[in-house]
Amino acid sequence: MTQNSELKTPIPYGRQHITEADIAAVVETLQSDFLTQGPKVAEFEQAFARYVGAKYAVAVSNGTAALHLCALALGVNEETRVITTPITFVASANCIRYCGGTVEFADIDPKTALLDVANVRAMLESKPKGYYHGLIPVDFAGAPVNLEDFRKLADEFGLWIIEDACHAPGGYFTDSKGNKQLCGNGAYADLAIFSFHPVKHIATGEGGMITTNDEKLYQELLKLRTHGITRDPALLEENHGGWYMEMQELGYNYRIPDMLCALGLSQLSRADEGLARRKQIALQYDEAFRNYEGIEVLGTDAAALSSDGETGHAYHLYVIKVQDRKGLYDFLREHNIFAQVHYIPAHTMPYYRNLGYKKGDFPEAELYYSQCLSLPMYPTLTSEEQEFVIAKVKEFVK
Ligand SMILES: *Cc1c(COP(=O)(O)O)cnc(C)c1O
């Protein structure tokens, strides 16, 4: 492909990669005894828990259901106040609203677009202890949050942490002892959640996962995922016989079918490959855009680099910042490159504005939003396609 030739098919910002092995895994499950509530669910959970280094995993119908169950398991109610970032998918905040709790935002660190721990501390210190109950930091774009820092705050102020790790399976930060801490490993957060939407690293169509090292929360999540029902003889209040089960609290049907878990298992077996390719693509973009006038590459927290120079960034997104973002977005679209904007700040959405937030509340998030653009980033993006993207971005910016 030459620099001036045009694309026949559009390049999206992200897309799934489905192989023959993936298809075979789904077909095999379709022909098995269980379409749902079968053996593939636990198999996927165990493999995923191993992948992120957590003790327990609970597979659910999507990432939003995962967030909702986390909020329920932690006892979020009308009295609960939780702090999260405005630069995230709205589901990170909505899970608290589902339970009637109050969402408060704290502004981002402009260098990384991650929730700024100093801003969170200032908010916590401005209120009596006990005023806030939880934190939901997000590994935005695949850049791992330094959860060791957030844990210190959480311990000091008596808070729980849900890590929204949808962008970061396989990502890690390096803690103060020099240890790699995988996103979702449960070492610092009480719970972590992932999504298997097709734009994410591991795709099952719809699907989600919760990981934790806390056995009590794990047992609670299992129950809440399926109507609040348990059949475990050890947990029953009465027992009338083999058919007996109890609905012990108000749960939901947030189960994921076995076909999707089979697909997830097959995808998970290639996760490292996909992640390595994402890092390669990021390196190519870095070479093209770092030190290029008019383009700023979204930075990475120092904790995402380990002492061997490896990066723990999981590169769900590759974000650049430019002055004329709308101009660049439209120009790329004319050339069949479908870049995307992540994210419109949550507090500026009509729903959150109706709850009292307004434009101007979080200036760093809003400045970031006015300049950011996510370029195509997915393992099957070819080098030729990437060169085309780079050439078109430079053509517009120069
Ligand atoms: C995708 C995503 C979600 C929601 O996941 P779904 O599976 O689409 O419900 C939540 N948070 C973040 C940061 C996401 O990227």
Side-chain angles (χ1 to χ4, degrees), residues 62-65 67 88-89 91-92 138 164 166-167 193-197 200 206-208 316 343:
N62 56 65
T64 304
L67 283 160
T88 186
F89 185 57
S92 313
V138 179
D164 184 335
C166 284
H167 295 185
I193 69 108
F194 295 86
S195 162
F196 307 125
H197 182 277
K200 311 287 162 77
E206 298 286 351
H316 169 60
Y343 286 102

Side-chain angles (χ1 to χ4, degrees), residues 273-314:
E273 228 173 275
L275 185 56
R277 176 70 188 130
R278 284 173 185 274
K279 289 184 185 182
Q280 240 174 24
I281 292 169
L283 211 60
Q284 290 298 115
Y285 279 141
D286 277 353
E287 269 175 28
F289 297 136
R290 282 201 196 274
N291 310 316
Y292 195 88
E293 207 182 313
I295 298 175
E296 194 188 323
V297 172
L298 184 65
T300 302
D301 194 89
L305 296 173
S306 57
S307 48
D308 52 15
E310 277 268 307
T311 180
H313 198 304

Side-chain angles (χ1 to χ4, degrees), residues 338-359:
F338 286 66
Q340 188 53 281
V341 171
H342 298 93
Y343 286 102
I344 303 161
H347 71 281
T348 67
M349 291 289 178
Y351 174 79
Y352 282 100
R353 277 194 272 131
N354 286 336
L355 293 177
Y357 284 105
K358 56 188 189 309
K359 282 184 195 164

Side-chain angles (χ1 to χ4, degrees), residues 96-329:
I96 300 307
R97 297 295 304 135
Y98 295 156
C99 302
T102 301
V103 175
E104 295 203 19
F105 298 100
D107 212 347
I108 57 166
D109 176 345
K111 216 173 80 262
T112 59
L114 299 175
L115 184 61
D116 190 330
V117 74
N119 289 337
V120 174
R121 172 173 284 283
M123 276 173 81
L124 294 170
E125 285 176 347
S126 74
K127 299 283 190 220
K129 258 190 199 174
Y131 183 86
Y132 290 106
H133 304 88
L135 304 175
I136 308 181
V138 179
D139 299 313
F140 173 69
V145 167
N146 187 331
L147 285 174
E148 189 180 20
D149 289 348
F150 279 100
R151 185 77 255 170
K152 273 184 211 139
L153 265 191
D155 287 346
E156 199 177 322
F157 289 88
L159 314 172
W160 48 253
I161 299 176
I162 302 172
E163 176 189 11
D164 184 335
C166 284
H167 295 185
Y172 61 84
F173 75 96
T174 305
D175 70 12
S176 60
K177 295 197 180 81
N179 296 322
K180 286 183 186 179
Q181 299 289 350
L182 282 166
C183 296
N185 75 356
Y188 295 103
D190 298 272
L191 295 161
I193 69 108
F194 295 86
S195 162
F196 307 125
H197 182 277
V199 297
K200 311 287 162 77
H201 292 212
I202 295 161
T204 64
E206 298 286 351
M209 192 73 82
I210 306 163
T211 56
T212 183
N213 288 346
D214 183 320
E215 195 191 348
K216 256 183 80 187
L217 286 173
Y218 170 64
Q219 293 296 345
E220 183 63 16
L221 291 165
L222 289 179
K223 207 155 65 167
L224 287 168
R225 170 176 66 177
T226 181
H227 310 282
I229 287 175
T230 184
R231 294 171 188 280
D232 183 346
L235 303 175
L236 295 173
E237 291 182 17
E238 301 174 21
N239 197 343
H240 307 172
W243 68 88
Y244 192 71
M245 53 80 169
E246 280 174 358
M247 182 196 142
Q248 297 180 331
E249 60 193 307
L250 190 61
Y252 294 79
N253 179 353
Y254 280 166
R255 296 186 303 255
I256 180 172
D258 277 55
M259 290 86 80
L260 299 191
C261 290
L263 179 54
L265 273 163
S266 184
Q267 291 257 313
L268 185 60
S269 70
R270 294 199 318 279
D272 283 337
E273 228 173 275
L275 185 56
R277 176 70 188 130
R278 284 173 185 274
K279 289 184 185 182
Q280 240 174 24
I281 292 169
L283 211 60
Q284 290 298 115
Y285 279 141
D286 277 353
E287 269 175 28
F289 297 136
R290 282 201 196 274
N291 310 316
Y292 195 88
E293 207 182 313
I295 298 175
E296 194 188 323
V297 172
L298 184 65
T300 302
D301 194 89
L305 296 173
S306 57
S307 48
D308 52 15
E310 277 268 307
T311 180
H313 198 304
Y315 286 109
H316 169 60
L317 303 174
Y318 191 90
V319 180
I320 59 170
K321 295 195 272 181
V322 292
Q323 281 306 315
D324 183 8
R325 191 271 311 281
K326 182 168 188 308
L328 177 58
Y329 173 88

Side-chain angles (χ1 to χ4, degrees), residues 46-64:
Q46 282 156 20
F48 195 87
R50 221 176 305 124
Y51 182 67
V52 303
K55 269 195 193 151
Y56 308 104
V58 178
V60 293
S61 44
N62 56 65
T64 304

